Amino acid sequence: APAPVAAPAPAAAPAPAPAAAPVAAPANAHAGYVTPIVRKLANDKGIDLASVTGTGVGGRIRKQDVLAAGAPAVSTAAPATKAAPALEVSPLRGTTVPMSRLRKVVAERAVLSMTTLAQLTTVVEVDVTKVANYRDEVKAAFQAKTGQKLSFLPFFVLAAAEALKAFPIINATVDGESIVYPDHENVSIAVDTERGLLTPVVRNASDLNIAQLAAEIADKADRTRNNKLTPDELSGGTFTVTNTGSRGALFDTPIVFLPQSAILGTGIVVKKPVVVSDEGLDAIAIRSTVYLALSYDHRIVDGADAARFLGAVKARLESGDFASVLGI
């Protein structure tokens, strides 16, 4: 019998390929997924997400990362500050000087008034928008014809002088146990000078128009500051007006000086939002307003008297009807 054929040897199994080395996950492996909220935030702020380093799990970009990328760099330098206006140092600083004779007189009169009179102050707020508008309309022509700048003070003095005629108790004086009602309104005007406060008198102020009052006030103030007043021009006042607003104050509580019984302080005129009513409807409007403060001797002037006087002054000013008494 023929010999059996030998079976072929099995082929050698191929050698297994070497295992590939594991690839390390990139730091931004999870950064590819960005929540819609974070993506919209980056888009709104114009930030390229590719430039943002995520601080979330696996480097995921979070909302805080986008906000931090869009935040301006913080400078360690001190911020620039606006320099405050330099104030001139007074040569009186650190010195001792004797009181002037005028200062002594004013001090004595102030103390006497405060210890003799029962002083009280009432304040009202006045809408002077119509006066302000009228003043703006005529001030150029007024200065051209009179040579005087038209301020608010003549309007205040005229309104007060007219009200004194209707409420003479504000213009009265005490004489022992009697009350004296003058038949004239001599208004003292407080003037700030280097020597101290002086009060020249504008006589018969209620008979003068705006132009005459402006001229009188300017002339008396100028001559007061230049020490050219006569003693008679500083006496005989029955009522005083002090323009507190000339130095920016809203109002003060001025002192009444004997023998007068009242003094009116006029504050600065300012523009501010005010509630106005028109046919039952309220609205906010920009108005020019001023505070008027009346100090008075409560021995003869009651609060109701002061309120009535201030109400009359307020009504006169808020009417704005001064064309007939402008005087040019």
Side-chain angles (χ1 to χ4, degrees):
V5 180
V23 179
N28 250 6
H30 299 282
Y33 175 72
V34 180
T35 64
I37 293 178
V38 172
R39 190 176 298 280
K40 183 179 185 304
L41 178 63
N43 183 65
D44 292 344
K45 291 185 172 293
I47 297 173
D48 183 6
L49 287 172
S51 65
V52 179
T53 300
T55 60
V57 178
R60 178 173 292 175
I61 298 175
R62 304 183 304 158
K63 175 182 177 182
Q64 292 87 336
D65 301 326
V66 175
L67 292 175
V74 179
S75 173
T76 57
T81 56
K82 186 177 180 181
L87 294 176
E88 183 179 352
V89 178
S90 170
L92 295 176
R93 185 171 183 264
T95 66
T96 301
V97 296
M99 280 190 181
S100 66
R101 190 175 71 86
L102 175 60
R103 178 57 60 189
K104 289 180 181 178
V105 171
V106 172
E108 291 171 357
R109 290 184 60 204
V111 172
L112 178 62
S113 290
M114 292 298 293
T115 56
T116 302
L117 308 184
Q119 301 206 24
L120 182 63
T121 303
T122 300
V123 182
V124 296
E125 185 177 21
V126 183
D127 185 338
V128 290
T129 304
K130 290 182 179 179
V131 174
N133 292 341
Y134 178 68
R135 172 176 168 267
D136 288 340
E137 291 174 8
V138 302
K139 63 182 180 182
F142 186 90
Q143 185 168 7
K145 292 186 178 181
T146 67
Q148 302 290 337
K149 291 184 177 180
L150 183 58
S151 69
F152 285 99
L153 186 56
F155 295 95
F156 296 152
V157 172
L158 179 61
E162 290 178 353
L164 289 175
K165 297 174 72 172
F167 303 97
I169 187 62
I170 309 298
N171 198 47
T173 58
V174 176
D175 182 11
E177 296 182 355
S178 301
I179 300 175
V180 179
Y181 296 91
D183 61 355
H184 52 271
E185 291 74 36
N186 292 345
V187 179
S188 302
I189 305 295
V191 178
D192 179 31
T193 74
E194 293 182 354
R195 296 175 295 137
L197 190 66
L198 294 171
T199 53
V201 179
V202 176
R203 301 187 184 280
N204 300 307
S206 61
D207 297 333
L208 305 180
N209 57 39
I210 294 293
Q212 292 169 330
L213 284 172
E216 280 277 313
I217 293 170
D219 172 65
K220 295 288 174 62
D222 180 68
R223 290 193 294 116
T224 299
R225 294 188 178 100
N226 290 286
N227 198 22
K228 294 181 179 180
L229 285 181
T230 64
D232 289 344
E233 292 177 302
L234 288 168
S235 62
T238 59
F239 178 79
T240 297
V241 173
T242 176
N243 187 17
T244 305
S246 63
R247 294 295 181 265
L250 287 176
F251 69 90
D252 66 358
T253 55
I255 297 176
V256 181
F257 281 91
L258 289 168
Q260 297 179 15
S261 295
I263 178 173
L264 181 68
T266 62
I268 186 173
V269 176
V270 297
K271 288 185 177 181
K272 67 178 184 180
V274 175
V275 176
V276 296
S277 298
D278 184 14
E279 296 182 356
L281 299 177
D282 292 340
I284 302 294
I286 302 300
R287 310 292 290 180
S288 295
T289 65
V290 66
Y291 288 108
L292 301 182
L294 181 73
S295 292
Y296 48 95
D297 184 356
H298 207 2
R299 295 180 303 168
I300 63 170
V301 180
D302 294 332
D305 297 321
R308 281 188 283 266
F309 171 80
L310 287 173
V313 176
K314 176 183 172 75
R316 182 67 173 97
L317 292 171
E318 291 187 344
S319 73
D321 185 14
F322 291 93
S324 62
V325 290
L326 185 61
I328 62 172

